[in-house]
Amino acid sequence: MSDFNTTYDVIIAGGGPGGCTAALVLARAGFKVIVLEKAQFPRFHIGESILPRNATLLRELGLWEALQRLPHLPKYGAEFAWGDDNNGMTFTFDNGLIPGAAVFNIERAHFDQMLMNEARQVGAEIRENTTVKQIHRLEESGVEVALADGETLHGSILLDASGHGTIVGRHLGTRRNFDDPELQKGAYFEHFDNVERLPGTATGHPSIIMTREGWFWIIGLDETKTSVGFVTRPEFARQLNVPADEVLSWAIARCPVVRHRMRNATGPTRNRVLSDFSYTCAPHAGPGYFMVGDAGCFLDPIFSTGVTLAMVGAVQAAKHAAAILRNETTPAAARRQYCRFVAGSTSVFWGLIRSYYNHSFRELFMNGTGPLQVHNAIISVLAGHVFPRPPFKLRWRLWLFHACVQVQKLIAIVPRRAPFSLVQTAAELPPALAASFEPALEAPRQ
């Protein structure tokens, strides 16, 4: 028989936004909860641009005032630009078909620490520097996990919020990367001071700077600090003969817009690296477990969905776990509802992400206008208004937009624009890439 001190209603693997949000909801409901976090907080993490939908959730959870006490930068919209054109296309969330409220960019070390503190204050037990070494049992009747220090914990339900660790997915052998090469990406990033930003209220707009090889993000985090990153295919980066921790500098030097905005920037000379986009560990719930956020699936970071998907999913997983523990529903019914929720809320983003890497999508989106408020619908989706499923007025316009992308490939609905490339001649590339170099085509005359 298990020791009561090592037996919990819910064991949560991972203390990021998903794990601590679930712990907060469950502890407030009176359940015995433990969070096992392998790192020591505060710690560095990307995913610093938050969607408007998350602001609504923070208010619902009673955390908005705690957020306001942290260093952050108000965010009212976003900018998309070509790598060789500093006059990008900007939009604000209040121009969406479903108007979105102002939200924020924030250094994740501060944000995640705040969520962990709030979960602790309502009674969740949280252990940092604690690694789940192995899952011994994962069944309807209960779960059992072994820690790296040899201790064994028992619980009724396991919530996997372990992020890229995908503890349950690896245990069950369900983790798989998508075959689509456009979804396989690596990110090269760091924090800098004195990066030029957009003027006025747009200073908090995240900037997405597009190139043929990938894209940059520029995200202001507070009055001086800015997150800058470059996303590309790992295969391309590996063949550059450039060390992985110098890829960001290589890319900045070849992109006129980013190079100009960073002309006075100060910061590290080497970058951090994160790869292995994108994957799924479906099914996202099963006997004894629910997967939350990146532990269940990881979407390309282009539309900043990570924190919002993790926290909204955590609330749903916590509510289903509570209903099971109270015998208000059957585990099978709770799993079905949760899996439907995850599929319904992520499928829209999957569609947009796949389209984004199509140049025709970029041409249409950068045009900034369209019939029947189609662009306004895209803005609302980018604001996160997809839970538990996008309303019909968004869905049919998204379908129309995707149809227009296909037409744009054949007929110029909007003016065509040649993609900007970081490399202009084959001589700039190592032999492995130079052989396959194709110069960007000139834009057709209109």
Side-chain angles (χ1 to χ4, degrees), residues 93-108:
F93 295 122
D94 59 9
N95 286 330
L97 199 61
I98 302 173
V103 66
F104 55 91
N105 305 321
I106 191 167
E107 196 170 347
R108 284 284 301 279

Side-chain angles (χ1 to χ4, degrees), residues 1-8 32 151-154:
M1 193 168 177
S2 302
D3 184 340
F4 175 76
N5 291 325
T6 61
T7 301
Y8 299 85
K32 187 180 180 185
E151 185 180 6
T152 298
L153 303 181
H154 309 265

Side-chain angles (χ1 to χ4, degrees), residues 158-427:
L158 174 64
L159 263 56
D160 183 5
S162 60
H164 286 256
T166 58
I167 290 172
V168 170
R170 294 182 189 277
H171 171 74
L172 297 176
T174 57
R175 174 172 169 150
R176 66 178 181 85
N177 290 341
F178 289 95
D179 295 331
D180 187 344
E182 289 295 357
L183 296 178
Q184 300 307 310
K185 295 289 187 294
Y188 307 85
F189 53 91
E190 254 304 345
H191 286 172
F192 299 88
D193 288 323
N194 302 318
V195 177
E196 182 181 284
R197 299 178 186 167
L198 298 178
T201 58
T203 190
H205 281 26
S207 295
I208 304 300
I209 314 298
M210 299 177 291
T211 77
R212 188 170 63 171
E213 295 79 10
W215 55 276
F216 294 84
W217 76 69
I218 301 176
I219 303 172
L221 302 177
D222 55 34
E223 291 184 0
T224 61
K225 187 177 296 184
T226 302
S227 176
V228 179
F230 175 60
V231 176
T232 189
R233 294 181 183 178
E235 181 182 2
F236 174 79
R238 283 194 296 269
Q239 294 179 17
L240 284 176
N241 290 339
V242 174
D245 59 2
E246 296 178 15
V247 168
L248 179 60
S249 294
W250 178 91
I252 290 170
R254 285 159 178 78
C255 182
V257 170
V258 180
R259 185 175 65 238
H260 176 76
R261 296 190 188 184
M262 295 193 67
R263 65 193 181 280
N264 298 318
T266 58
T269 57
R270 299 183 183 275
N271 57 258
R272 302 171 191 252
V273 182
L274 179 64
S275 59
D276 207 15
F277 310 151
S278 300
Y279 59 82
T280 182
C281 299
H284 299 114
Y289 74 88
F290 291 89
M291 297 178 182
V292 173
D294 292 352
C297 64
F298 186 80
L299 279 64
D300 188 292
I302 177 59
F303 298 130
S304 304
T305 56
V307 172
T308 300
L309 288 174
M311 292 184 67
V312 174
V315 172
Q316 292 297 314
K319 288 181 177 178
H320 285 302
I324 292 171
L325 293 168
R326 292 170 177 152
N327 294 316
E328 296 171 351
T329 186
T330 65
R335 290 197 298 269
R336 281 195 303 271
Q337 292 175 26
Y338 182 72
C339 288
R340 259 198 311 269
F341 170 84
V342 173
S345 57
T346 58
S347 60
V348 173
F349 286 119
W350 280 122
L352 278 179
I353 288 166
R354 284 189 170 95
S355 287
Y356 170 77
Y357 288 103
N358 184 312
H359 187 65
S360 295
F361 174 96
R362 298 181 180 189
E363 289 175 326
L364 281 169
F365 186 68
M366 291 294 287
N367 191 56
T369 59
L372 304 172
Q373 297 183 294
V374 168
H375 275 71
N376 303 81
I378 299 293
I379 291 172
S380 291
V381 171
L382 297 183
H385 297 296
V386 301
F387 305 101
R389 188 178 183 221
F392 179 70
K393 63 182 180 180
L394 293 187
R395 295 202 306 274
W396 74 261
R397 287 178 171 89
L398 282 172
W399 178 89
L400 177 59
F401 187 85
H402 288 306
C404 288
V405 170
Q406 299 306 312
V407 174
Q408 175 73 9
K409 293 178 182 179
L410 305 173
I411 304 170
I413 302 174
V414 301
R416 296 194 186 279
R417 205 271 192 200
F420 167 74
S421 179
L422 295 176
V423 290
Q424 303 300 316
T425 68

Side-chain angles (χ1 to χ4, degrees), residues 39-75:
Q40 176 69 48
F41 278 38
R43 52 91 172 96
F44 184 98
H45 207 287
I46 56 170
E48 300 138 325
S49 178
I50 310 300
L51 300 185
R53 177 63 180 85
N54 219 67
T56 302
L57 179 61
L58 287 169
R59 288 186 172 93
E60 293 170 353
L61 294 173
L63 301 177
W64 188 250
E65 289 186 6
L67 178 278
Q68 295 304 309
R69 292 192 288 269
L70 302 178
H72 66 280
L73 198 65
K75 164 184 166 181

